Amino acid sequence: YLRWIDNDSLSIDGSDWMETLHSNYSHILTFKKKNREEQQMSTSTLIDKLNQALGWELRAINMYAHYAAYIRGIHRLQLEPHFTTEATESMMHSNIVRSAIVKLGGVAVTERNQTPITHTTLYLEMLAESLVTETKAAEVYGELIAMIQEEGDADLYDAIEQIYLAEIRSVEELRRLAE
């Protein structure tokens, strides 16, 4: 049955599912009825992918903080603030992803992605490592967007889409810096 929650929200209740539609969506999401088993499997898969994204963000925090401390020479003037800003951005992204995992009933990882962080004082190597990290993170967020759209969670979709776009911008900025 249908019921109004407030002036902007309509709730659709069913025996195995409930979704809330908001009248001010900036995009259209397809809502599909799923049985309990399908819902649990898809939520579990989504939590796993969110944890993968969280692991990359935790790795990026460590990597960027490390590179901000070790950048030397004339490049320090430009790259130390860049790396520090990227570490802060990764912290914000990790908080959003962690909150989504909790909202879905999952347990957030506390360990970073295990891909080694290369120690170097050479700025081009730092930029190359940063590009690899941002590219991988963007791939994971791109996969998440499709999964979240399938789930029909518009708020989570918007949050992850914003992170995805930030990762894409970082990839492009790093490509230009490394030229």
Side-chain angles (χ1 to χ4, degrees):
Y1 67 92
L2 299 174
R3 66 183 163 89
W4 287 100
I5 295 173
D6 56 36
N7 289 339
D8 295 322
S9 301
L10 177 67
S11 172
I12 304 171
D13 292 338
S15 60
D16 292 332
W17 65 301
M18 178 176 167
E19 294 290 343
T20 301
L21 304 173
H22 299 281
S23 63
N24 60 350
Y25 285 160
S26 60
H27 48 76
I28 298 172
L29 295 177
T30 303
F31 292 89
K32 297 180 179 179
K33 184 176 179 179
K34 296 180 179 181
N35 65 37
R36 284 185 203 271
E37 187 176 306
E38 288 174 329
Q39 184 64 37
Q40 287 172 344
M41 270 186 18
S42 62
T43 299
S44 175
T45 304
L46 181 57
I47 290 168
D48 289 345
K49 186 59 76 172
L50 284 164
N51 268 319
Q52 187 179 357
L54 180 56
W56 280 102
E57 294 295 351
L58 296 174
R59 180 183 183 278
I61 293 166
N62 288 338
M63 182 189 70
Y64 285 126
H66 185 78
Y67 289 166
Y70 280 93
I71 189 70
R72 297 287 182 257
I74 191 73
H75 301 292
R76 182 167 180 75
L77 295 172
Q78 294 296 319
L79 292 180
E80 187 278 333
H82 172 76
F83 291 143
T84 300
T85 300
E86 289 294 323
T88 301
E89 181 180 275
S90 292
M91 178 65 80
M92 291 186 312
H93 292 172
S94 71
N95 289 338
I96 292 167
V97 173
R98 190 178 295 107
S99 293
I101 293 167
V102 171
K103 173 185 166 187
L104 293 170
V107 177
V109 297
T110 57
E111 300 293 324
R112 69 171 182 84
N113 176 281
Q114 291 305 305
T115 303
I117 296 172
T118 302
H119 171 74
T120 183
T121 57
L122 302 174
Y123 81 97
L124 285 176
E125 287 181 17
M126 290 178 180
L127 293 174
E129 281 293 312
S130 300
L131 181 58
V132 168
T133 299
E134 295 294 338
T135 300
K136 185 58 183 170
E139 288 173 11
V140 172
Y141 285 114
E143 294 167 8
L144 267 169
I145 287 174
M147 293 172 74
I148 295 166
Q149 187 169 12
E150 180 74 21
E151 287 294 309
D153 187 331
D155 291 334
L156 182 56
Y157 182 92
D158 287 343
I160 297 300
E161 182 182 47
Q162 291 305 309
I163 294 172
Y164 172 71
L165 293 173
E167 299 297 343
I168 294 297
R169 283 189 297 273
S170 290
V171 167
E172 288 306 311
E173 181 67 18
L174 286 164
R175 282 188 183 144
R176 290 193 309 240
L177 284 171
E179 290 179 347

